[in-house]
Amino acid sequence: VASREQWLEARLRLLTEEKNETRRRDALNTERRRLPMVRIEKEYVCEGPQGPAALAGMFGGNRQLIVHHIMFGPDWDAPCPACQNFIDELSDGLLAHLRDNETAFALVSRAPLAKIEAYRTRRGWTVPWYSSHGSDFNYDFQVSLDQSVPQLQYNYRPAPELLGGGRSSEMPGTSCFLRDGNEIFHTYSTYGRGNEYTPQPLLDARP
């Protein structure tokens, strides 16, 4: 317990740190926007409720696409608990706000579509959710580690230990894509801490 004057002095010190952190975040977002882009040369096709969906089809007429990689393996009965909490916090209003900013948002998991749809329906989730089962999508964007696939990197470094003694492992991540005419570019991916938050902050990092 402190006097009002002591509290105000401490609050002003903290305010200085908060302002500095805001400036650092703004500078970091600027650096993200300066990242080069990589043209997507491979044809990725996932399965959605309406049938096969190419990556281009997930944009829904928008300029940018944010994909959140949900940890839900082919032999799992449910997504990981942290991923479930993340989806619970995705509101229709947030998705509409993203679309107002020319940004589509979708979930992608390696579980078969039947498992995804059954779980999505049971939870009452409305966010678009696709299955990448049978495709290279999760492996190429480094969120699936599998002994049978020569890709054992996570968060931009070798991580074979994440297999945990099993044949495969699913990891969290978010990937961003930009469409320019008929071309699609990979602009950004982030892994590990931070992926439990809603996607709105990524709007500050878009090209």
Side-chain angles (χ1 to χ4, degrees):
V1 179
S3 68
R4 187 68 181 179
E5 290 74 17
Q6 291 171 323
W7 179 88
L8 182 58
E9 181 181 353
R11 180 64 186 92
L12 290 174
R13 285 198 302 268
L14 180 60
L15 179 60
T16 298
E17 290 301 312
E18 290 172 340
K19 292 295 185 182
N20 289 338
E21 184 64 25
T22 298
R23 295 186 186 98
R24 285 193 292 267
R25 185 176 65 248
D26 290 344
L28 186 61
N29 284 337
T30 297
E31 290 304 309
R32 286 194 185 106
R33 288 192 290 270
R34 289 173 177 166
L35 277 174
M37 298 182 291
V38 178
R39 182 179 287 104
I40 298 294
E41 305 285 0
K42 187 180 291 187
E43 181 67 21
Y44 295 107
V45 178
C46 295
E47 285 290 327
Q50 308 305 319
L55 189 60
M58 297 184 194
F59 280 79
N62 296 286
R63 182 170 177 264
Q64 181 168 274
L65 169 67
I66 298 175
V67 169
H68 194 86
H69 305 279
I70 296 295
M71 297 168 64
F72 193 178
D75 55 345
W76 297 17
D77 294 324
C80 81
C83 291
Q84 293 182 50
N85 292 339
F86 172 85
I87 302 172
D88 277 337
E89 296 180 0
L90 293 172
S91 68
D92 290 340
L94 172 61
L95 299 178
H97 174 68
L98 292 174
R99 289 192 297 270
D100 288 343
N101 284 272
E102 300 182 88
T103 302
F105 182 80
L107 310 176
V108 173
S109 298
R110 206 158 61 89
L113 182 64
K115 281 190 173 184
I116 289 174
E117 280 296 286
Y119 204 83
R120 184 184 64 80
T121 300
R122 187 159 68 247
R123 300 283 294 207
W125 293 329
T126 59
V127 60
W129 195 353
Y130 299 89
S131 169
S132 64
H133 187 63
S135 83
D136 297 332
F137 187 78
N138 273 41
Y139 297 109
D140 289 353
F141 292 96
Q142 301 186 3
V143 290
S144 289
L145 306 178
D146 197 314
Q147 289 179 342
S148 64
V149 178
Q151 191 294 104
L152 291 176
Q153 288 199 344
Y154 182 65
N155 208 8
Y156 308 106
R157 61 182 182 271
E161 73 281 359
L162 293 178
L163 283 173
R167 291 187 51 81
S168 65
S169 180
E170 305 298 318
M171 303 301 296
T174 303
S175 297
C176 300
F177 303 91
L178 179 73
R179 186 172 63 181
D180 184 11
N182 294 323
E183 293 187 308
I184 297 175
F185 301 88
H186 176 218
T187 59
Y188 184 72
S189 282
T190 184
Y191 307 97
R193 289 187 64 187
N195 283 287
E196 67 273 22
Y197 303 126
T198 58
Q200 187 166 351
L202 289 173
L203 289 177
D204 292 334
R206 64 181 178 166

